[in-house]
Amino acid sequence: VEGAETEPAYFRALEESDLIPCHRVKLHVVSPGQHASAPLYILGAAEAETRKIALQPYDEVWLVFDVDERSGGGRLQQIIHTVKDAQNRGWHVAISNPCFELWLLLHVSNAVAGVTPLGESVTGLLRAAIGGYSKRATPAECRTAEAITRAITAARSLDGDPDALCPPFPSTRLYLLMERLRNERPS
């Protein structure tokens, strides 16, 4: 995952709240750290981690990162390169455009009209929808099966071209990962 706090906290919350079938799914979340969040660093961290552990044929590797326009003009090229490299390895990618917080927002609201390419707009909408938000903790409103189902449905409807290498703005492909974790759709 790209983030050092938000994404790991979300996936921990899924496990702690029994929102994924922990009897058959074990998450191994790896964050490259504060200053190594570019898609290529995430790919490298995943590659290093898969060398450390013995992947089984049924294991899946997912890269989770943002479009994040603040990172500069080369970001889109890096995203495309990373997605192609991951696909060549048989790995999966769940990109959020503009940021992971859009996924959290879709748990509680479909109001994406105010989203701008900068993630702060999404954080503001999320705070307005639930009354507060901290990157360090997943809001209780996002920790229910109903909220996850709502987010999956909303994210799927925003993704006009699921085969495109990068999702349209605003959208998130985390629904693909959540469907796999909840075993709702075959790979």
Side-chain angles (χ1 to χ4, degrees):
V1 298
E2 179 175 21
E5 296 176 331
T6 309
E7 293 89 334
Y10 179 77
F11 291 112
R12 263 192 319 276
L14 292 178
E15 290 179 313
E16 292 167 1
S17 302
D18 291 324
L19 293 169
I20 57 171
C22 292
H23 63 281
R24 67 169 191 80
V25 173
K26 174 65 179 134
L27 296 178
H28 185 78
V29 179
V30 178
S31 177
Q34 291 284 356
H35 301 292
S37 64
L40 290 174
Y41 287 120
I42 296 162
L43 181 75
E47 184 177 45
E49 199 64 29
T50 59
R51 282 195 301 262
K52 289 182 201 172
I53 58 177
L55 289 179
Q56 301 301 312
Y58 49 81
D59 289 336
E60 295 182 9
V61 175
W62 284 79
L63 307 180
V64 176
F65 56 89
D66 305 337
V67 170
D68 190 15
E69 285 197 4
R70 290 177 302 167
S71 297
R75 179 84 170 191
L76 186 56
Q77 285 306 99
Q78 205 176 108
I79 288 169
I80 290 168
H81 174 79
T82 302
V83 171
K84 287 179 179 180
D85 194 342
Q87 289 173 339
N88 288 338
R89 297 167 189 256
W91 296 355
H92 307 274
V93 181
I95 303 171
S96 294
N97 188 0
C99 60
F100 183 84
E101 283 78 8
L102 178 63
W103 173 245
L104 298 177
L105 177 64
L106 294 176
H107 284 66
V108 297
S109 173
N110 289 340
V112 296
V115 173
T116 70
L118 299 179
E120 290 80 12
S121 68
V122 181
T123 303
L125 291 169
L126 184 57
R127 281 191 178 111
I130 60 176
Y133 170 68
S134 166
K135 288 183 169 284
R136 292 185 177 96
T138 300
E141 296 86 347
C142 299
R143 297 175 77 156
T144 69
E146 296 80 17
I148 292 171
T149 299
R150 187 177 320 117
I152 289 170
T153 301
R156 182 173 284 289
S157 72
L158 289 172
D159 193 2
D161 185 4
D163 295 324
L165 293 177
C166 189
F169 173 84
S171 66
T172 176
R173 296 234 170 103
L174 277 149
Y175 72 93
L176 297 169
L177 173 55
M178 287 308 302
E179 287 173 339
R180 291 295 296 149
L181 289 174
R182 294 173 67 180
N183 198 29
E184 293 179 4
R185 299 190 77 144
S187 179

